[in-house]
Amino acid sequence: MDQFMAAAVAEAKQGLAEGGIPIGSVLVHKGTIIGRGHNRRVQQGSVILHGEMDALENAGRQPAEVYRDAVLYTTLSPCAMCSGAIILYGIPRVVVAENRTFMGEEELLNFRGVAVEVLQDETCIALMNDFIRLNPELWNEDIGVSKESP
């Protein structure tokens, strides 16, 4: 695991330690982390602070050329909201630790010209599987599954 994915995993573990959902992300520009974050929906009572959104927020306002020359590392496949932000800011490459526990909008990202690399990292798969097993209601809330869903 490279240093940037390791930083995203550290963010995910921090989120879990805070009582949240273990998904982390870092935004990298020219070999330097400029934003890092983790899912803070539970901790902040937020509807939008997924790991990727938190990393973007923590990077602060950046010129368009920074985003167009950045790589986003995330421990889980990006959802529709996070994928929309990736597309909006023109981030050209996303490295995903795993998409077995949740398949996000990778097809949309690819269609919009974003290079998506999926690592299938066993550490991240185990982290999410354990979380989902221990917190099924919170996981289902986060990904929008209701009790009425089949």
Side-chain angles (χ1 to χ4, degrees), residues 85-102:
I86 291 163
I87 292 165
L88 176 68
Y89 290 106
I91 297 169
R93 182 169 173 243
V94 177
V95 180
V96 177
E98 69 101 351
N99 64 7
R100 289 186 189 159
T101 58
F102 176 77

Side-chain angles (χ1 to χ4, degrees), residues 38-55:
H38 51 272
N39 188 301
R40 294 179 195 255
R41 287 186 67 255
V42 174
Q43 301 92 312
Q44 300 291 325
S46 172
V47 298
I48 62 167
L49 285 182
H50 285 191
E52 299 90 340
M53 300 298 279
D54 194 38

